[in-house]
Amino acid sequence: MKISLNWLKEYIELNDLSVDEIEEKLTIAGLEVEEVIDQNKIFENFVIGYVKEKHKHPNADKLSLCIVDDGENELSVVCGAPNVDQGQNVVLAKVGAAIPGSDIIVKAVKLRGEKSEGMICSEKELGISDNHEGIMVLEGDFTPGQSLSDALGLNDVVYDIDITPNRPDALSHVGVARDLSAMLNRELRKPVVELEEDEIESKKYAQVIIENAEACPRYVGKVVTGVTIAESPGWLKKRLTSIGLRPINNVVDVTNFIQQELGQPLHAFDLDQLAKSKIVVKSAQSGEKFVTLDSKEHEMSEDNLMICDGEKAVAIAGVMGGENSEVTVDTKNILIESAFFTSASVRKTSKKLGLSTDSSYRFERGTNPDNVVLAARRAAQLIAELGNGKIAKGEIDAYPEELKKLKVKLRYSRIERILGYFIAPDKVQSILNSLEIPVVGSDDESVTCEIPKFRPDIEREVDLIEEVARINGYDKIPSVDRVNITLDPKIDQTQKGENIRYALKELGFREIITNSLLNNEVAKKFGKPISSLNPQTIEMTNTRTSLIPGMLTTISKNIKVREVNLNYFEVGNTFISNNEGEINSFDDITEHENLLLAITGKQRDDEWYGKGRAYGIYDLKGLVQDFMTKIQLDKETRYQYNRQNNSIYEQSIELFVQDVQVGIGGELSREVLNYFDISQKVFLFNIDLDVLRQFEKKERKFNDLLKFPKVVRDFSCVLDKKVKSEKVISVIKKSTSKLLKSVKLFDIFESDSLGKAKKSLAFQLEFFDETRTLTDEEVSKEFWKAIESVKKEFNAQLRGA
Amino acid sequence: MKEKIQEIKKDFDDNLKSVSDLKALEELRLKFLSRKGQVTQLFDAFKALPTEEKKLYGKEVNVFRNTLQTKYDKLKADLEAAKVDEKDVIDLTLPGRRKELGSLHILSQTLYEIKEIFKSLGFSVYIGPEMESDHNNFEMLNFPADHPARDMQDTFFINDDFLLRTHTSPVQVRLMETSKPPLRAIMPGKVYRNEAISAKSYCLFHQVEGLYVDTNVTFAELKGTLIAFAKQYFGEDVKYRFRPSFFPFTEPSAEVDLWWEPKGKEGRWMEILGCGMVDPNVLENCGIDSEQYTGYAFGMGVERIAMRKYGIDDIRVFFDNDKRFLTQF
């Protein structure tokens, strides 16, 4: 919310504080200043200039050459505006001036050969209006050299404050002044309303009936008659424009002014447009159509509260008035609405209609029912003053049931218990009083407050503690320099994820983190997706069903910037619907942590010592094997191969641990790659970490290392090309005793010389026993058993042993 | 004899041609000129010849041996000379043979650094699901339905009851519902905000939630703990401030700003985390007696912290995963 410093100063003395000091005070009071717009700073180097002479530019038809008096010197300034003339007072941007809202800094330059030592400005260039038809010519008495801020009163400072939702009391200039008065311990000067009222009572002009008192506990109407609708005077327009509001006419401007001054939203009705001079506050009829001030039609429902006259709806309560009863140039008699609508009711309507206004914003957060009469009177005062109207006597105050004030007890001991330091009781009381939270009772241990209606956020003891802490200053809260630590065993549920990331780092992978939101088309390729009700864009309608799209998008982007050799991984959650997208309980969601490995391009760049080798399927498998070794599950791991193209992979490798599938990967299919605009081969492997977790090793056991030498024997044999190496190894293992500790395939040779569709495989067998040295004979016996079984099983021929 | 000499000579010359280093030359010497070499053997054969034949071949054999020896000596000298040059030829300015290095994403690194500090202060670490119930994400945390406080966190809703969590605070709820105080834990993870993607905001980011509930927890302890963290992470001289703020689940609430002077720019306060004393309503919602127990909670943005630490000014670079970015960390 924008707060004007000049305006604020009406209610509290601040002249001795700098702009920065006030900003600091507001922020440490909890009214966080997000931006300071200081006109004095903006209009530094802008002065009143007097045009002494105007000549035609010798080298340009449309330019003039002016001699401008800036109070000290006579400057030569080139100007392009047709309306510039001798004898004018103008706004001169001197050398060094920064033109607001642009990057332009005025410099001394030569324009078409003539010296120009400044710039004569238009209103648009100054950011005061949209008028850019020529330069701004000032009427009245001005002195050359006078600063623009002084001359035009452009010396305001506007604080843009982020008011948190719990502080509706601070959504006005008086409200902000109240906090400052408490912070600075200074007097708060609230506006005084003294009215000269007519004899005829407001009640005689109109009648107010509340049908829905739950949504509208109080409605005050006040009448002003014989008003002349006109432009607002300068002081009022300036107040409104300073905080970015557009002046409309004296009546509307007054209602807006009071909303910003007191925080009470008001509405002005043309009394003569209200049928039967009646206001009826009631729920809308379902399907009812209503046209608001901005000429938009809305369809209402039963939970929308409407303001109606004797026949029809005239406003959406607390949100916006209707076209049919708005104040126009012909309006004479005004009914001022100053009401208290409940926040729930206004919020519901505002959300439903997608219509948020300054008024609904305040009602949603909570306004003050005890403020409505004052606001109505203040509005009547100003409208009568500015429009020569007569104020009808008294108010129509429909208030079926008075809202009681809450009493809250605050224990001094509890302050210390929560904040960790002691605040003296008289200090506590003075802080509460300075916030206009009256103390209505106290004893040695506690104080009891009556909570004013402008503080709907204060309901409990702890809420009062916050007020005391806030005004006393958070910097006064000490910070302890030691803490107690319990000695129970600590849990770290992220430790496994961290171990996995470091394991992959050691294997040379780089971690990426991608968006978890996807478009529906992609999401559904990888599983039953879950969609969001209110996506930001159509590219982000669903939660990801797989890490693959994010990875491929990343790879594609990298390739476009010529980073073509990549080995990436991501660890992240995927979301699959178990119930056709319907989510009624957590059981309908499978949210699993997954790991996706990706390799593409070459293992490394080409270097002087050799070309980089292109990544292939065996690199992928090797990396998966290395990973499984790192997490100590390599012994329980089994791979299964699927030659069928499954639309994602050309052919896939499935990873099993103890007969449970934990992962799948392979070379990506062309179709998928094309979708992501990738032309090079990509190899991916996905592991479901939540499934893998059940096999995690709890402890590691020392394996007694070998005291006795191992015996190594090699043999090679020729067999059919189709025979899978894994099969041969399993036959070798089966045929031998436990003395055989490992079998390694160390050479593959294919040649026509071996026979058609034949290949030669060479195996290395390692034998040992943990308890003794093996004899040659027993090793040979095992070795030959292995060879014989291979020969028999695969019709293989021994090439050498 | 004559033929034999010719044969050896030819063999020697052939061998000599292929000698390119001292090792091969030594092999040549062993084959021909050593004590068991062919030339020596030829001499032995010569010695066994009858006298008149000795006369006939004597000179020839000697010349033959000397020729071979000369050729050998010359080549040896040449090779030795060349060998000295070889050292100069080694170009150690060439880059070494290297392996591709791996790396953790800078957000993971930052998260683990934060985690280590809090673990050293006695915190456990818990995680929870990203797809949460409205109940855990809002209601239990004292965000009433239809309250403007809900506007503080733009939410991706799945339906009326489920959503993508907007903060890691629902993990607090899960922890408090299942465990008894004292509870001291941090809860890191991804959170989602339904905001347009820009340099300042992304639709998701990472948060580290902190919670401590016990019989004697105060704001002063919260302050001490967070200052200890800030000093350890950003350095002893870090400048900070606590200022009042509002979160439905804490009361009193605060935000912590750190002073930041980006290179060549004016210094400013940068909001780094939100915190406060756990609201009694939240404790009661989770079945904890709010008169007996008090607690504090805090939540910090990992991206913010990394941006502050490394001088990153656009949040999107974290999620673009450009290799040129990843290799910097």
Side-chain angles (χ1 to χ4, degrees), chain B residues 1-248:
Chain B
M1 193 51 129
K2 198 164 174 110
E3 296 83 62
K4 189 76 187 166
I5 289 172
Q6 283 311 313
E7 191 187 318
I8 294 174
K9 192 168 183 295
K10 187 174 180 296
D11 194 15
F12 180 85
D13 285 344
D14 285 351
N15 273 270
L16 193 73
K17 270 183 217 157
S18 62
V19 170
S20 61
D21 58 30
L22 287 167
K23 194 171 164 244
L25 186 68
E26 176 62 9
E27 277 168 21
L28 184 83
R29 190 187 69 80
L30 288 171
K31 189 170 174 191
F32 294 99
L33 299 169
S34 69
R35 268 199 315 168
K36 287 186 177 170
Q38 291 184 21
V39 177
T40 314
Q41 280 172 18
L42 189 75
F43 261 77
D44 290 346
F46 169 76
K47 278 178 196 155
L49 286 177
T51 314
E52 58 270 34
E53 281 192 45
K54 272 184 187 165
K55 274 184 188 162
L56 192 65
Y57 294 114
K59 204 178 163 200
E60 200 170 337
V61 172
N62 263 321
V63 169
F64 167 63
R65 189 177 66 170
N66 289 342
T67 313
L68 261 54
Q69 188 67 46
T70 309
K71 281 184 180 172
Y72 168 82
D73 288 346
K74 186 175 181 300
L75 186 59
K76 190 176 179 192
D78 286 353
L79 284 175
E80 271 170 358
K83 194 186 161 194
V84 179
D85 289 338
E86 215 170 70
K87 257 192 188 163
D88 292 340
V89 173
I90 295 175
D91 181 3
L92 284 179
T93 63
L94 283 173
R97 297 177 184 230
R98 301 181 62 181
K99 288 200 172 68
E100 268 289 311
L101 297 181
S103 60
L104 264 65
H105 195 283
I106 187 58
L107 293 176
S108 292
Q109 292 182 38
T110 306
L111 174 63
Y112 295 144
E113 285 163 14
I114 294 169
K115 183 177 92 167
E116 281 320 306
I117 294 175
F118 283 104
K119 280 174 86 168
S120 76
L121 296 172
F123 284 77
S124 283
V125 188
Y126 289 91
I127 50 177
E130 292 168 24
M131 200 170 278
E132 259 293 1
S133 61
D134 186 272
H135 180 76
N136 285 340
N137 193 78
F138 286 131
E139 271 170 56
M140 291 292 278
L141 290 162
N142 203 30
F143 284 82
D146 270 323
H147 191 275
R150 290 202 171 201
D151 297 344
M152 294 170 79
Q153 304 184 346
D154 293 321
T155 311
F156 284 109
F157 285 100
I158 301 302
N159 54 37
D160 286 348
D161 302 322
F162 284 86
L163 43 78
L164 291 172
R165 67 178 177 190
T166 55
H167 47 190
T168 38
S169 310
V171 193
Q172 275 187 29
V173 174
R174 288 170 175 269
L175 185 61
M176 284 192 278
E177 278 181 326
T178 52
S179 315
K180 285 205 165 70
L183 297 168
R184 193 196 308 252
I186 58 165
M187 292 145 272
K190 279 195 179 81
V191 301
Y192 297 82
R193 295 287 167 90
N194 199 343
E195 292 170 8
I197 294 177
S198 72
K200 281 188 176 162
S201 68
Y202 198 71
C203 53
L204 63 89
F205 60 95
H206 296 76
Q207 217 174 39
V208 178
E209 186 83 8
L211 175 74
Y212 178 36
V213 180
D214 204 344
T215 50
N216 51 3
V217 183
T218 65
F219 203 114
E221 181 159 352
L222 169 64
K223 230 178 143 176
T225 305
L226 290 176
I227 291 169
F229 164 75
K231 286 187 172 174
Q232 195 157 342
Y233 193 77
F234 292 104
E236 272 290 327
D237 55 351
V238 67
K239 201 174 139 195
Y240 55 83
R241 74 175 179 194
F242 284 72
R243 60 180 164 75
S245 190
F246 168 70
F247 306 104

Side-chain angles (χ1 to χ4, degrees), chain A residues 735-751:
Chain A
S735 65
T736 48
S737 76
K738 65 178 174 35
L739 294 179
L740 178 74
K741 290 298 189 294
S742 87
V743 183
K744 183 171 129 188
L745 173 68
F746 71 93
D747 190 40
I748 301 173
F749 175 62
E750 289 178 15
S751 161

Side-chain angles (χ1 to χ4, degrees), chain A residues 390-459:
Chain A
K390 278 187 189 163
I391 305 168
K393 196 172 171 186
E395 296 83 33
I396 314 156
D397 186 356
Y399 196 8
E401 197 177 339
E402 196 186 335
L403 298 162
K404 294 272 178 293
K405 284 188 186 121
L406 213 58
K407 286 200 174 79
V408 177
K409 188 167 142 184
L410 170 60
R411 291 163 294 171
Y412 301 124
S413 61
R414 194 69 187 172
I415 299 178
E416 192 170 356
R417 177 78 197 282
I418 298 284
L419 299 181
Y421 80 120
F422 176 76
I423 305 177
D426 55 342
K427 182 76 189 166
V428 172
Q429 294 200 20
S430 86
I431 287 173
L432 294 170
N433 281 321
S434 72
L435 286 167
E436 301 193 302
I437 301 170
V439 172
V440 294
S442 69
D443 56 32
D444 288 350
E445 271 116 46
S446 70
V447 61
T448 302
C449 296
E450 191 177 66
I451 310 303
K453 283 284 168 197
F454 61 82
R455 291 303 301 266
D457 60 315
I458 301 178
E459 293 176 320

Side-chain angles (χ1 to χ4, degrees), chain A residues 750-767:
Chain A
E750 289 178 15
S751 161
D752 286 346
S753 65
L754 298 171
K756 207 178 164 201
K758 295 280 182 191
K759 64 181 172 186
S760 160
L761 300 180
F763 296 95
Q764 184 166 75
L765 281 58
E766 274 185 24
F767 301 89

